[in-house]
Amino acid sequence: MAEGAAVPAGKCQGGGNGASNGAGIWEGNGAGNGEGNREGNGAGIWEGNEGVGTGAGNGMGNEAGNGDGKRASIWEGNGAGNREGNGAGNGHTSVPRVTHATWQEPGTGQRTDGQDPARPGRPGTPCAAEPLTINPGPFPAAQPCSPAAPAPAPAMAAVGTSGGTGHPPSLVNPGSRHAPLSPLQSLLERAAAIEEELAQGEDKPFTEVICCHSGDAVAAGHQPLAFLRQVAAICAYPELLGAECMPADAKRRAGRILRHLQGGSPGAYNLEYVTDTVAEKVARYLEQRDGGIPSDPRCIVPCGGTAPAVVVSMARGPVAPVAPVHRGPSSHGASSWQDMVSLVVDEAAEQPTGVLVPVPGPPLHGAAAGLAGAVAVPYPLAEEQGWDVAGEAVRRVLRQARERCHPKVLCVVNPGDPTGHVLSQQSMEDIIRLVAEENLLLLADEVLQDNVATPGRPFLSFKRVLWEMGAPLTSTVQLVSFYSLSKGVGGGGFRAGFFELVNIDPSVLKCFYTWGMSVYPPILGQVMLDAAMEPPLPNEPSYPAFEEHRQGLRRDLAHNARLVQEVLGRAPGIRCRPVHGGARAFPRIQLPPRALRRARALGLEPDAFFCQKLLEATGIVVAPGSEFGQAEGTHHVGLSLLLPAERLERALLALARFHAAFLRDFS
């Protein structure tokens, strides 16, 4: 394109002269060509929560330019379908995340005052509170930049090129390209390398690597329940129905399941089995768990594991009668999360959707929200109050967040991960009142409910507490709760779980099959979920081993929770809140100022720097607290409670000794 030429309708271009006019800008809405990503001397335009800025400078055009803005990689408006890309100039972006669009007037290449000509009023002032509504669809009809001037067809570039620039425009979701690297990942890669070095005979001050970070029970040495594996094995290979090694009750259960499977095999898609048979078993299990509170199988969505997920777009007020719907199951947890967050996100809205996530908390919550186009809004847990959810802190975060997004969802993790807390009934009631007052969907991540370490703090489901609070809350608060076979009796590799919708408009259920949002979950995992929801009876041969396995896991968790308190409680500079449930402890560690300066010089989080040193000196892998988030100025490590007690005690003693030496070395 010649310098100074008008931009045809349908293309959006920013200013800049150089090797590529309009450096770093993608043509959109069908053009398929990218003119950017080449050196250019021009003004980079970016926009975000903190403001809009431009900055001139030379650079490769692959990140944001210099200036006052806080965001890179701007997406064009929802209707136009254009994306501006990767900023021009030389500089850095503090948070590479999109908030809302920059509109450019067709035919001029000039940015206007931010108003979309086709949709007046966007972007504008923050919107007022409004009912939660369903996204009109994942694929809204494309709108041209100007209704009166459709874009001419651009010249075709060679397949796989960017119109001669040498850099093809990326088709990858920018949320994934800019996702932050996990502080834990580099530790795990180094641990694998150290294991290779030990195997080759290299001399180390230790003889083995002890991974003390994971919430994976099977990886830590706890095998899934034998009964579940036996039923799944028979369903996968029905000839085992005649095997003497299989108990009679496992054969009977597998025989009943095989009659529900299409073709008598888990190799078929088995949609009806998952959405009808398994959902019915789940509903009966939940009624028993919650003391008889009704559960409708039509509001159960089986899925392949339940990393946190959010469904918004619900009707306010009492739930309409649920008509039978033929719905498809969701896929594995991360996909379920993104699928459902996409129901929250309205790309045409003035502000992005906000999802409140706990800090510390599972890192997937915020990352998946970003991939789905929402904004993760962290809220702090109160460490001094045993990692409780402090209502006033949540309200303060909400007030601040509404200046830059539209918060619609509050995510609560109970039992806590990595904090190991279990919420009291009073705390849960306070949370329910908060979401009712603020018109938020409550996402209850309850996947660790089987891992309760102390009888004095039992697990209660949010559904049960909501029911017991009575009208009007019982029929108005919108809730999605989650269960996973991975964290308790099953095993993460089998990918099985479900979520239940409470006070949710039944039309939302149709989204799980109308839009084809996810692939089906693994059927063998659903077979195991089926068996877990209807465990062996006391008079059946598998019952003693089944109960011993479940109770044994809880005894081990309780013992290891006490062990963490005993060993680390004697270590100067380390403090750990009591653990009541979950799979991890989250002790706070003191780090001296000299260590903080050294970590900053290396470009590391201070706790990641500590964990690196710990690994090299002791062979112990713990998760940096920055993996889960933490309050400013505090430092933690995540410790698994699932290791055998002897290995955990060795790891804890080595951690305490190393921390004392670390304090001396950096004092």
Side-chain angles (χ1 to χ4, degrees), residues 54-141:
T54 61
N58 295 319
M60 295 302 295
N62 197 35
E63 288 294 337
N66 269 325
D68 299 324
K70 298 293 185 182
R71 296 292 189 270
S73 300
I74 303 170
W75 287 17
E76 280 284 327
N78 187 38
N82 301 337
R83 283 166 37 174
E84 294 188 350
N86 295 347
N90 187 13
H92 80 281
T93 172
S94 61
V95 185
R97 164 148 210 58
V98 177
T99 54
H100 60 275
T102 298
W103 184 262
Q104 293 183 340
E105 191 68 30
T108 66
Q110 300 298 315
R111 181 180 181 277
T112 69
D113 61 356
Q115 300 294 327
D116 179 341
R119 291 162 290 163
R122 178 185 183 272
T125 58
C127 57
E130 57 186 17
L132 303 178
T133 55
I134 296 179
N135 182 344
F139 308 112

Side-chain angles (χ1 to χ4, degrees), residues 49 124-126 351 397-407:
N49 294 338
T125 58
Q351 293 179 305
V397 169
L398 273 170
R399 288 193 296 269
Q400 296 169 350
R402 283 178 173 135
E403 298 177 359
R404 58 189 179 91
C405 67
H406 182 185

Side-chain angles (χ1 to χ4, degrees), residues 343-519:
L343 295 176
V344 186
V345 175
D346 182 358
E347 296 177 351
E350 297 175 354
Q351 293 179 305
T353 295
V355 178
L356 276 73
V357 297
V359 170
L364 178 61
H365 288 198
L371 287 172
V375 175
V377 180
Y379 69 88
L381 300 180
E383 183 172 6
E384 298 305 318
Q385 285 75 50
W387 300 110
D388 202 359
V389 177
E392 185 50 44
V394 175
R395 287 185 171 88
R396 182 169 59 252
V397 169
L398 273 170
R399 288 193 296 269
Q400 296 169 350
R402 283 178 173 135
E403 298 177 359
R404 58 189 179 91
C405 67
H406 182 185
K408 297 181 181 180
V409 180
L410 174 66
C411 176
V412 178
V413 184
N414 183 44
D417 184 28
T419 52
H421 69 279
V422 176
L423 292 173
S424 67
Q425 182 167 350
Q426 183 61 55
S427 294
M428 298 172 74
E429 291 176 357
D430 292 342
I431 291 168
I432 289 171
R433 293 189 185 95
L434 186 152
V435 298
E437 294 167 4
E438 301 289 347
N439 189 34
L440 300 173
L441 169 76
L442 176 57
L443 174 87
D445 178 355
E446 300 175 336
V447 301
L448 291 166
Q449 60 187 264
D450 292 325
N451 296 1
V452 176
T454 56
R457 185 64 68 86
F459 167 80
L460 295 173
S461 71
F462 267 98
K463 179 184 177 182
R464 178 171 184 167
V465 174
L466 175 61
W467 179 274
E468 293 177 351
M469 292 178 73
L473 298 175
T474 297
S475 59
T476 57
V477 170
Q478 297 175 330
L479 167 68
V480 184
S481 61
F482 297 84
Y483 176 93
S484 174
L485 203 63
S486 305
K487 305 300 183 182
V489 298
F494 291 108
R495 312 309 299 139
F498 62 84
F499 52 92
E500 182 182 24
L501 310 179
V502 178
N503 294 332
I504 305 299
D505 187 330
S507 65
V508 172
L509 293 173
K510 300 178 182 179
C511 298
F512 295 106
Y513 77 96
T514 302
W515 293 351
M517 299 180 77
S518 294
V519 298

Side-chain angles (χ1 to χ4, degrees), residues 640-651:
S640 173
L641 299 177
L642 299 171
L643 290 175
E646 181 272 333
R647 283 173 65 84
L648 178 61
E649 185 173 14
R650 282 195 288 125

